[in-house]
Amino acid sequence: MEKELSFDAKILHKPYAKTDAYGALNMPIYQSAAYEFDTAESMEAAFIGKSADHTYSRITNPTVQHFESRVQSITDALSVTALNSGMAAISNIIITLAQSGSNIVTSRHLFGNTYSFFASTMAAFGVETRFCDLTNPYEVESHIDSNTCAVFLEIITNPQLEIADLKALSAITKQMGVPLIADTTIVPFCAFKAKKWGINIEIVSSTKYISGGATSLGGLIIDYGNFDWLSSPKLHTVAKGFGPAAFTVKLRKEIHRNLGAYMTPQVAYMQNLGLETLSIRYECQSGTCLELTKRLEKVGAIASVNYTGLATNKYHELSLEQFGQKPGAMFTIDLASREACFNFLNKLKIIKRATNLFDNKSLAIHPASTIFGTFTADDRKDMNVSDNTIRFSVGLESVDDLFNDIIQAL
Ligand SMILES: *Cc1c(COP(=O)(O)O)cnc(C)c1O
C-alpha cells in the first residue's frame, strides 16, 4: 500500500481538477464571471449538475475550487465550501440549518459579530438563540429540544480562552440528534482534527492563519458528512434523497448561490499560497507564544497571563488533550487598570496596535474598548470581557523581540 503523504505534501501536490494548458506551477487566477460551452447539450449537463463544468463564478470557480479541494484532502471532509469571509461562512451554515421557530444553543463567549448575528440578525427571522455555559454538559443538554437546529461553539473562546470538553459535548449532540458546529479559527486544521472530536461542521475564518500575512478575508465551511440529517427538521426531506450529503446539497444547490458570498479567485489565489506555509507558520507562532507566555508569567508588573498552554491554566489538561502542547498563538494579559492597558499599548514599538489574529506581525488590542466597545458594561460582564485585559496575537518575530517590547512598554 502506498504511504500516505504528509499534511504539507498533500497541500503542495494536490493535482488540479484539469491539466493546466501551460503547466502553471501555481494555480492561476481564473478571473472570469462565466464559462463558454461547445454545445447546448453540454451546457444543459453543467446547469443541471450532470457534469462538473463551471457555469458562473458565484457558484464555482476553478481557482476557488482548487483551494477547496486542497482543504478537503487534508481534512478528509465530505465537502469544503470557500466564502468571502468567516462571517459569510457562519451565516451560510446557520441559514442552511435554521428556519423560523428553530433555536441555536451556544455560549455568550463568542466572536462579536457571531454573537450579534445570532442575537439580532437571526432573531428577526424567528430563530431563537439559547445562551448557556458550554463547559457544563448538563446545561447544554437541558437547553436542547426538538427545535434545536445546531449547537455552536468556538473551540477556544476569544478573548476569554475558555475550552469546552468536546468529547462530552459531541456525545450529547450525537445522542440528541443535533449537529455540532465548531468555529476552529483559533487552532486550525494543521493542529486540530475536528472530525476526531465528533464535530459535524467546521467553520474557519481563513482571514487569520490561512491567509498568512493578513492579505485577504475568507471563510471555510467544512462538512465531515458524519451527521444523520434525517433528524434535522429542515433537512429531513433532503436527507431522504441524499443521506449524509444533505447539508452540502442544501448549501451548494441553494443557500450559497442565493446569498452570493462565494470566495473570489484573487482571494483564493492568495489563500492557496498562505495554505502552503500554514503548518510551518503555525508551528513557529504557537511555539513562540508558549515560550513568551512562560517568560511573562514571571514578570511582576503583569497581574495574570492567560494561555491554555501554560501548566497553571485552568483548562490546561483539556487543552493538552484536544489541541496539544501549543494551543494557538493568541493569549491575554491582565494589568492593574484600563489606564494601565492604554499606557502599555501606546508604548509598544514592535507589536502593532491592531485587531485581526495570526498575521505574520504580532498584534495587540484592548478588547473591552474596541471589539466590545459598543456593548454595555453589563453585557461585557456577562461575556467575561474585562477592562483590564490586553489580547495578543503572536507573529513570526523572535521571542526576544516580543518579550523586550512588552517589558519596555510595561
Ligand atoms: C475573525 C473571526 C471570525 C470572523 O471572520 P471574518 O473573516 O472576519 O469574517 C469568526 N470567528 C472567529 C473566532 C474569528 O476570530
Side-chain angles (χ1 to χ4, degrees):
M1 212 177 86
E2 246 183 277
K3 233 182 149 188
E4 210 190 331
L5 291 175
S6 68
F7 181 92
D8 299 286
K10 269 189 191 168
I11 290 173
L12 293 165
H13 300 289
K14 178 75 188 173
Y16 301 156
K18 285 189 181 177
T19 309
D20 185 77
Y22 300 96
L25 268 178
N26 275 321
M27 181 60 173
I29 301 172
Y30 280 91
Q31 186 63 62
S32 182
Y35 306 83
E36 186 190 358
F37 289 85
D38 286 341
T39 63
E41 288 77 11
S42 61
M43 200 168 180
E44 180 189 28
F47 273 77
I48 64 173
K50 282 206 165 134
S51 81
D53 292 328
H54 302 282
T55 59
Y56 192 64
S57 284
R58 176 162 36 75
I59 300 167
T60 60
N61 168 280
T63 314
V64 183
Q65 194 170 65
H66 186 59
F67 178 56
E68 292 170 333
S69 72
R70 280 174 148 190
V71 175
Q72 192 269 333
S73 68
I74 51 186
T75 54
D76 202 19
L78 173 77
S79 80
V80 175
T81 303
L83 283 308
N84 244 333
S85 70
M87 284 316 302
I90 290 171
S91 51
N92 269 268
I93 292 171
I94 298 301
I95 292 170
T96 301
L97 293 175
Q99 55 193 4
S100 171
S102 300
N103 66 71
I104 301 159
V105 173
T106 189
S107 156
R108 273 187 204 283
H109 299 169
L110 287 174
F111 178 72
N113 290 113
T114 308
Y115 180 90
S116 160
F117 175 70
F118 288 162
S120 175
T121 313
M122 289 312 293
F125 293 92
V127 176
E128 180 200 356
T129 301
R130 300 180 172 177
F131 295 106
C132 69
D133 178 3
L134 294 181
T135 66
N136 178 348
Y138 302 104
E139 212 181 300
V140 177
E141 193 166 352
S142 70
H143 279 71
I144 295 175
D145 66 18
S146 61
N147 289 321
T148 303
C149 69
V151 171
F152 184 100
L153 90 159
E154 293 177 10
I155 52 169
I156 300 183
T157 71
N158 163 13
Q160 307 85 1
L161 292 109
E162 174 190 276
I163 296 180
D165 182 338
L166 294 172
K167 241 190 254 160
L169 263 191
S170 62
I172 290 171
T173 53
K174 188 171 179 191
Q175 191 223 329
M176 301 190 84
V178 175
L180 181 60
I181 320 287
D183 180 335
T184 66
T185 302
I186 305 294
V187 185
F189 37 69
C190 54
F192 174 71
K193 307 292 168 211
K195 193 179 189 175
K196 187 182 134 189
W197 296 95
I199 287 160
N200 304 115
I201 309 281
E202 178 176 10
I203 155 327
V204 188
S205 166
S206 56
T207 313
K208 314 292 165 53
Y209 284 113
I210 294 170
S211 82
T215 57
S216 49
L217 281 110
L220 289 165
I221 299 175
I222 305 172
D223 175 4
Y224 286 102
N226 55 354
F227 186 77
D228 180 2
W229 298 104
L230 284 171
S231 68
S232 155
K234 188 161 172 199
L235 298 185
H236 180 80
T237 313
V238 191
K240 281 189 187 160
F242 295 93
F247 174 87
T248 289
V249 168
K250 184 80 173 169
L251 173 71
R252 295 298 302 230
K253 301 272 179 221
E254 178 190 331
I255 306 298
H256 114 89
R257 301 175 178 207
N258 294 353
L259 295 183
Y262 198 50
M263 184 173 274
T264 56
Q266 307 97 313
V267 168
Y269 178 84
M270 289 185 272
Q271 302 211 344
N272 255 324
L273 288 182
L275 196 60
E276 293 185 358
T277 56
L278 171 67
S279 78
I280 185 170
R281 284 183 289 109
Y282 182 82
E283 271 300 300
C284 174
Q285 288 171 253
S286 58
T288 304
C289 188
L290 178 60
E291 177 62 29
L292 180 65
T293 51
K294 279 184 182 167
R295 288 200 206 173
L296 292 175
E297 264 195 314
K298 300 189 187 105
V299 175
I302 300 174
S304 67
V305 180
N306 192 7
Y307 179 59
T308 66
L310 293 172
T312 50
N313 190 276
K314 175 177 166 190
Y315 294 107
H316 183 62
E317 252 169 61
L318 201 51
S319 179
L320 205 57
E321 193 189 340
Q322 296 179 173
F323 314 113
Q325 301 276 351
K326 300 176 288 183
M330 175 181 80
F331 72 96
T332 66
I333 61 171
D334 276 16
L335 298 179
S337 64
R338 176 189 160 102
E339 289 67 37
C341 290
F342 274 46
N343 283 334
F344 171 83
L345 283 171
N346 288 336
K347 284 190 194 142
L348 288 171
K349 289 184 176 146
I350 304 257
I351 300 170
K352 307 280 186 207
R353 288 169 289 273
T355 188
N356 198 20
L357 288 168
F358 318 128
D359 189 351
N360 295 336
K361 303 174 191 83
S362 291
L363 314 171
I365 192 166
H366 180 250
S369 63
T370 55
I371 303 168
F372 298 92
T374 57
F375 289 93
T376 66
D378 278 347
D379 282 344
R380 283 199 291 272
K381 203 166 171 210
D382 279 350
M383 294 168 151
N384 197 16
V385 175
S386 157
D387 249 354
N388 301 351
T389 301
I390 293 177
R391 185 189 83 185
F392 292 88
S393 164
V394 175
L396 291 169
E397 305 91 340
S398 74
V399 181
D400 285 343
D401 289 338
L402 299 174
F403 183 73
N404 293 339
D405 196 28
I406 291 171
I407 295 300
Q408 68 79 29
L410 285 168

